[in-house]
Amino acid sequence: MAQRHDFPPLRYVPGGAPAALADGPPRPGGPPYPGSGPRPYGTDGSALTGRTARDVLAAYLHHRATDFLRSLRAHGESGPDAESTREAARQLRSAARRIGGALHTFRPLTDERWADHLRGELAWLSGTLAREHAGTARLDRLLGALQRLTAHTDPNSPTAAAASRDTAEPDAAESLLSTGAARAGALLERQITLARTRAHSAALQALGSSRFHAVADAVAVLASEVPLTATADRPAPDALLPLAEQAHRRLAEAVAALPLARAGQAYNADALAAGSRQDAPWHQVRLLARLSRYAQEVTDPDDTDPRLAEAGRALERHRDAAEAAAAAAAAARTPRIAPATAYALGVLHADQRHEAEAARYVFGRVWLPAPEPGSSVRKG
Amino acid sequence: MAQRHDFPPLRYVPGGAPAALADGPPRPGGPPYPGSGPRPYGTDGSALTGRTARDVLAAYLHHRATDFLRSLRAHGESGPDAESTREAARQLRSAARRIGGALHTFRPLTDERWADHLRGELAWLSGTLAREHAGTARLDRLLGALQRLTAHTDPNSPTAAAASRDTAEPDAAESLLSTGAARAGALLERQITLARTRAHSAALQALGSSRFHAVADAVAVLASEVPLTATADRPAPDALLPLAEQAHRRLAEAVAALPLARAGQAYNADALAAGSRQDAPWHQVRLLARLSRYAQEVTDPDDTDPRLAEAGRALERHRDAAEAAAAAAAAARTPRIAPATAYALGVLHADQRHEAEAARYVFGRVWLPAPEPGSSVRKG
């Protein structure tokens, strides 16, 4: 835990806003949506009228900090029930991500040094807890895919019954896959279970560490007193909306750089051919979409855009499929595996890259068409 | 060549129409398209006005027989130039398929015993010649796919150059694929070349056989005198259109039984999961679409429906991808191959099943939506 000495203490030390903020938040001019037509992703802000930024942001952080502490308690009390432990960890990560997101988007209204440090610590915690969950989900996904790919070779499955009307004998691919799939599944289970066990130990160790206790203390402070600067005393629409808009604009710009026209053509075969090297911009958009959604939760708690959540889910599926494909490929590099096992892992790898391509296609369908220039998303 | 003694001689022996035909062709009543709205696949028949079925059918068969004989001569004269030999064989098969198709669709207007026999012999010839071509096309498709799948691992490719901006190191899947793809390609080349050499010998043997000479003689007869029955002396619209309609209806009914709603959902993952067992109805529709198109060539030579040709091309792509996937799987069963080779063949198999799924999707997009009941395609 040498690393934690690199950070300042997490307790809030009052301090003025940095000089750069004296001019107020960036790009304050103009109403958010001067144009007509379909509303882009962004912020309505009607819930902010008559309130200060401090009221709004403190209330949001207060609620998320309470969620964090409640799920932490639930996690400690959950005992041997794996399901309730997982659910508590999931809620803990959800609260940690939201606090971190709000501190990121509305950073100029906070003590930035404090906010940056807490954000880093929350990301560490959330990442540590996520690894165990990700292992479970990845194994479920891969074993589910293997089952789907070999369902027709099981004579008791409805698919097989329907298929057997066409041909009596399975073909070469099918019989090879049914031989290799069981071993591929066992190999993946062994490798991912090992990684998951390590992740579980790391999570337990993290939750018992003084570094974690410092994070929990800092979050407990948020539940009662949020360290905001004097800028936060301005009217909420003036102080919060431009910062939320900035989050939405960053997302829109990152989406504009994606090859959406290509991804919108079904069966473009890009995700398999290009491999994981071109996944990074999609992963980046997933993070920006999440920040945008959390910013909406602050400014429009009663009117968050369901398309944004749906687009985010498509990109989560993209990430999950891409990681599952990588796990299948990694398993295929195990020394001395049988060719049939390697063959099944190759089919599985391609299937998951295909799933990643499908997720990009869905994202393209869900994403609001780019608004006319000047009518909605303001360019910087 | 013992088989050829099972067939009657191919020379036309004049004979009356079978008794079943005395009532005329099936379902003669009603105009083809009583309804309004978009015209379904089918027949307009304006080119038939004032002609007898004999005039129309004899002219069509005369032209196709002339094509057959010309391409046969070209094939014999093509010498060592592989490209011109291939082209002559392609034209020979095309003419043979069209003659067979017309004899099938308009069978009640012909001496049926003679027509059925010639049709069988043309199918034998066309199938024998097709096997060599199919081997070449399959190898091209598989090596092309391997090249596409590994293009990003070649540092000189534009894809790789673009990708290298994202990450410096190839991931596990990519490096494994680039190791295995070369060996997989070599293995496929060896196996398919061997099969192609056998097909080439079989084609040469077939073209030198007395069985083939009998087919050529029978086609030569078609070029001057087509053995049709007295029914063919009826007006062409009355005698030909109901038979052409029957071909279009068979196609429409087979298409109606396809899982088109499912195939129309992009990325349904059916073709890989269900394997080749559920390909048969699609292959059947490919054959029926071809018969329907050839029937249109007889009844509407100047107005064949381009959508029908496009739908047919999608199903040819479906067939080619399905057969390429099977070849990849078959290669993966070669004893003692390296795991990396088997892995690359698994990726290739899944890629080609994905291509088959994409072809089904395209077919669903190209296919005309089913017309209203009673308005166009008459139900039997």
Side-chain angles (χ1 to χ4, degrees), chain B residues 157-199:
Chain B
S157 81
T159 320
S164 68
R165 285 196 291 273
D166 289 333
T167 43
E169 291 297 320
D171 70 11
E174 285 153 12
S175 58
L176 190 61
L177 198 55
S178 65
T179 311
R183 283 170 155 208
L187 178 61
L188 288 166
E189 189 148 15
R190 215 156 51 233
Q191 295 187 341
I192 296 178
T193 301
L194 183 66
R196 200 172 45 180
T197 305
R198 286 195 189 124

Side-chain angles (χ1 to χ4, degrees), chain A residues 229-281:
Chain A
T229 65
T231 321
D233 292 321
R234 296 177 59 205
D238 295 353
L240 295 178
L241 288 187
L243 294 171
E245 278 298 302
Q246 198 173 40
H248 305 320
R249 190 169 50 244
R250 278 196 193 113
L251 170 62
E253 284 165 3
V255 172
L258 289 177
L260 276 194
R262 176 84 183 149
Q265 292 173 324
Y267 299 106
N268 58 67
D270 266 1
L272 179 57
S276 63
R277 287 169 175 244
Q278 287 169 19
D279 291 350

Side-chain angles (χ1 to χ4, degrees), chain A residues 263-322:
Chain A
Q265 292 173 324
Y267 299 106
N268 58 67
D270 266 1
L272 179 57
S276 63
R277 287 169 175 244
Q278 287 169 19
D279 291 350
W282 298 88
H283 294 331
Q284 180 65 10
V285 167
R286 181 180 68 81
L287 297 176
L288 292 174
R290 200 160 76 183
L291 283 174
S292 194
R293 184 156 57 91
Y294 294 161
Q296 267 197 353
E297 289 181 0
V298 174
T299 59
D300 298 86
D302 302 323
D303 189 26
T304 55
D305 195 323
R307 296 165 306 174
L308 199 51
E310 204 183 334
R313 279 193 297 273
L315 293 175
E316 277 169 24
R317 186 177 150 211
H318 175 264
R319 187 260 330 260
D320 292 347

Side-chain angles (χ1 to χ4, degrees), chain A residues 346-364:
Chain A
V347 171
L348 189 58
H349 171 80
D351 174 70
Q352 292 299 305
R353 292 303 306 170
H354 182 198
E355 281 271 302
E357 183 184 309
R360 292 182 188 177
Y361 175 81
V362 169
F363 174 82

Side-chain angles (χ1 to χ4, degrees), chain A residues 18-378:
Chain A
L21 270 189
D23 296 333
R27 299 187 186 82
Y33 305 112
S36 58
R39 190 184 144 209
Y41 297 109
T43 204
D44 166 82
S46 55
L48 305 180
T49 315
R51 303 168 71 194
T52 65
R54 180 182 303 277
D55 293 343
V56 173
L57 199 52
Y60 181 82
L61 288 169
H62 170 78
H63 278 110
R64 299 294 83 79
T66 308
D67 291 345
F68 183 99
L69 298 169
R70 188 177 46 234
S71 52
L72 180 60
R73 202 161 44 240
H75 191 272
E77 290 166 357
S78 57
D81 174 0
E83 184 48 54
S84 66
T85 310
R86 259 203 298 280
E87 178 55 23
R90 199 191 61 72
Q91 290 182 9
L92 194 65
R93 286 190 293 121
S94 161
R97 281 198 311 264
R98 281 172 165 78
I99 295 168
L103 294 180
H104 181 269
T105 299
F106 303 104
R107 182 174 180 271
L109 308 182
T110 66
D111 178 335
E112 296 190 351
R113 187 155 175 261
W114 166 86
D116 291 349
H117 180 218
L118 179 53
R119 210 151 50 81
E121 292 300 273
L122 287 169
W124 159 76
L125 173 64
S126 168
T128 304
L129 293 180
R131 267 188 284 283
E132 182 183 357
H133 167 75
T136 308
R138 194 169 306 142
L139 187 58
D140 285 353
R141 166 177 273 272
L142 286 165
L143 297 184
L146 277 176
Q147 200 163 30
R148 170 168 54 78
L149 293 173
T150 53
H152 56 290
T153 63
D154 170 1
N156 297 319
S157 82
T159 320
S164 68
R165 285 195 292 271
D166 289 334
T167 42
E169 292 296 320
D171 70 10
E174 286 154 11
S175 58
L176 190 62
L177 199 53
S178 65
T179 313
R183 282 169 156 209
L187 178 61
L188 288 165
E189 190 148 14
R190 215 155 50 234
Q191 295 187 342
I192 296 178
T193 301
L194 184 66
R196 201 174 44 180
T197 305
R198 285 196 190 122
H200 181 68
S201 304
L204 283 185
Q205 202 179 352
L207 290 173
S209 70
S210 53
R211 183 176 178 184
F212 171 72
H213 288 295
V215 182
D217 283 352
V219 173
V221 169
L222 279 183
S224 54
E225 173 209 358
V226 179
L228 299 174
T229 65
T231 321
D233 292 321
R234 296 177 59 205
D238 295 353
L240 295 178
L241 288 187
L243 294 171
E245 278 298 302
Q246 198 173 40
H248 305 320
R249 190 169 50 244
R250 278 196 193 113
L251 170 62
E253 284 165 3
V255 172
L258 289 177
L260 276 194
R262 176 84 183 149
Q265 292 173 324
Y267 299 106
N268 58 67
D270 266 1
L272 179 57
S276 63
R277 287 169 175 244
Q278 287 169 19
D279 291 350
W282 298 88
H283 294 331
Q284 180 65 10
V285 167
R286 181 180 68 81
L287 297 176
L288 292 174
R290 200 160 76 183
L291 283 174
S292 194
R293 184 156 57 91
Y294 294 161
Q296 267 197 353
E297 289 181 0
V298 174
T299 59
D300 298 86
D302 302 323
D303 189 26
T304 55
D305 195 323
R307 296 165 306 174
L308 199 51
E310 204 183 334
R313 279 193 297 273
L315 293 175
E316 277 169 24
R317 186 177 150 211
H318 175 264
R319 187 260 330 260
D320 292 347
E323 292 185 349
R333 294 173 69 86
T334 309
R336 288 181 299 282
I337 56 171
T341 310
Y343 174 83
L345 290 168
V347 171
L348 189 58
H349 171 80
D351 174 70
Q352 292 299 305
R353 292 303 306 170
H354 182 198
E355 281 271 302
E357 183 184 309
R360 292 182 188 177
Y361 175 81
V362 169
F363 174 82
R365 300 256 141 171
V366 170
W367 183 256
L368 184 69
E372 290 302 303
S375 74
S376 45
V377 176
R378 287 167 295 171

